[in-house]
C-alpha cells in the first residue's frame, strides 16, 4: 500500500512538473535557443583560436624551411671547398631541423583538420538555429492567434450570458407592467360599478331608458316642421 502511495505521489509530481513545462513551453524554448547561441559563440571563439595557432605553426614551418634551404646552400659550398667535415656538420643540422619541420607540419595538418571539422559543426548549428527560429516564429504567431480567439470566445460567451440575463429582465418588466395594467383596469371597473355608470351603460346597450339623440333625428324633425308651416 505504501509503495502504491509513493508511486501515486511520484506520478502526481510528474504531472505537475509536466504542467509547468507545458505552461512555460515558449519561455523554455527561447532559453534553450539562447543557450545554443551561447555554445555557438564559444565554438566560433575556439575556431578563431585554432586558426591563430595554425597560423603560428605555419609561420614556424616557413621559417624552418628557410633555414633548411640556407643550410643546404652552405653544405654545398662546404663541399665545393673540400670541407667535408664541415659539410657533414651542416648536414646533421639539416637533419635535426627537418625532424622539427616534419613535426610542425604534422601539427599544422592537425589544426587544419580540427578547423575544418569545427567549421562544419558551426555551419550545421547555424542552419539548425535559423530553421528553429523560423519555426518558433510560426509557433508564437499561432499561439498569439489562439489566445486572441480564446479571448474573443470568452467575451462572446460573456455577451451571450449578459444578453440572456437582459432578456429575462425585460420579460420580468413586461410581466410587471401587464399586471399593473390589469390591476388598474379592475380598479376602474370597480369604481364604475360603485357610481352606477356601468348599470346605465348596460341599460343603454339593451335599449332601455333614455336614448342618445342623433343628428339624423334632429334634421328629420326640423324638416317635418318646415313642411307643416308651408301648408
Amino acid at each position: 500500500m505504501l509503495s502504491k502511495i509513493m508511486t501515486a505521489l511520484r506520478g502526481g509530481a510528474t504531472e505537475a512538473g509536466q504542467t509547468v513545462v507545458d505552461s512555460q513551453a515558449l519561455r523554455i524554448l527561447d532559453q534553450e535557443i539562447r543557450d545554443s547561441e551561447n555554445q555557438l559563440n564559444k565554438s566560433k571563439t575556439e575556431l578563431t583560436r585554432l586558426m591563430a595557432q595554425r597560423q603560428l605553426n605555419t609561420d614556424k614551418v616557413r621559417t624552418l624551411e628557410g633555414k633548411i634551404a640556407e643550410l643546404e646552400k652552405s653544405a654545398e659550398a662546404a663541399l665545393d671547398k673540400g670541407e667535408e667535415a664541415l659539410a657533414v656538420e651542416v648536414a646533421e643540422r639539416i637533419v635535426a631541423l627537418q625532424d622539427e619541420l616534419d613535426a610542425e607540419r604534422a601539427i599544422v595538418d592537425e589544426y587544419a583538420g580540427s578547423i575544418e571539422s569545427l567549421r562544419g559543426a558551426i555551419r550545421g548549428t547555424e542552419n539548425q538555429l535559423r530553421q528553429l527560429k523560423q519555426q518558433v516564429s510560426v509557433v508564437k504567431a499561432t499561439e498569439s492567434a489562439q489566445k486572441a480567439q480564446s479571448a474573443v470566445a470568452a467575451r462572446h460567451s460573456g455577451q451571450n450570458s449578459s444578453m440572456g440575463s437582459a432578456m429575462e429582465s425585460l420579460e420580468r418588466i413586461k410581466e410587471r407592467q401587464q399586471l399593473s395594467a390589469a390591476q388598474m383596469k379592475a380598479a376602474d371597473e370597480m369604481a364604475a360599478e360603485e357610481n352606477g355608470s356601468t348599470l346605465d351603460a348596460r341599460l343603454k346597450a339593451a335599449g332601455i331608458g333614455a336614448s342618445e339623440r342623433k343628428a339624423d333625428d334632429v334634421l328629420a324633425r326640423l324638416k317635418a316642421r318646415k313642411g307643416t308651416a308651408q301648408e
Side-chain angles (χ1 to χ4, degrees), residues 32-42 129 133:
E32 289 173 341
I33 290 176
R34 286 192 292 270
D35 292 341
S36 297
E37 289 177 334
N38 291 334
Q39 291 299 322
L40 179 60
N41 291 332
K42 291 180 180 179
L129 275 175
K133 287 180 179 180

Side-chain angles (χ1 to χ4, degrees), residues 173-214:
I173 292 173
K174 287 182 178 180
E175 290 177 0
R176 188 168 61 251
Q177 290 177 342
Q178 291 173 354
L179 177 61
S180 297
Q183 290 175 342
M184 288 187 289
K185 183 178 180 181
D188 291 341
E189 290 177 353
M190 290 178 62
E193 288 179 357
E194 290 177 357
N195 59 26
S197 59
T198 301
L199 179 61
D200 293 340
R202 291 166 60 192
L203 290 173
K204 181 178 180 181
I208 302 172
S211 62
E212 184 180 355
R213 294 181 179 180
K214 298 181 179 179

Side-chain angles (χ1 to χ4, degrees), residues 1-10:
M1 180 63 71
L2 181 60
S3 176
K4 291 183 178 180
I5 293 175
M6 294 301 297
T7 301
L9 291 175
R10 288 198 303 271

Side-chain angles (χ1 to χ4, degrees), residues 70-91 94:
E70 291 177 1
L71 288 174
E72 287 176 347
K73 290 179 181 179
S74 298
E76 290 174 356
L79 289 173
D80 291 342
K81 292 182 178 182
E83 297 288 343
E84 186 73 23
L86 182 59
V88 171
E89 186 178 349
V90 173
I94 289 174

Side-chain angles (χ1 to χ4, degrees), residues 88-103:
V88 171
E89 186 178 349
V90 173
E92 291 176 350
R93 178 60 178 160
I94 289 174
V95 171
L97 290 176
Q98 189 64 54
D99 291 340
E100 188 177 349
L101 175 60
D102 292 341

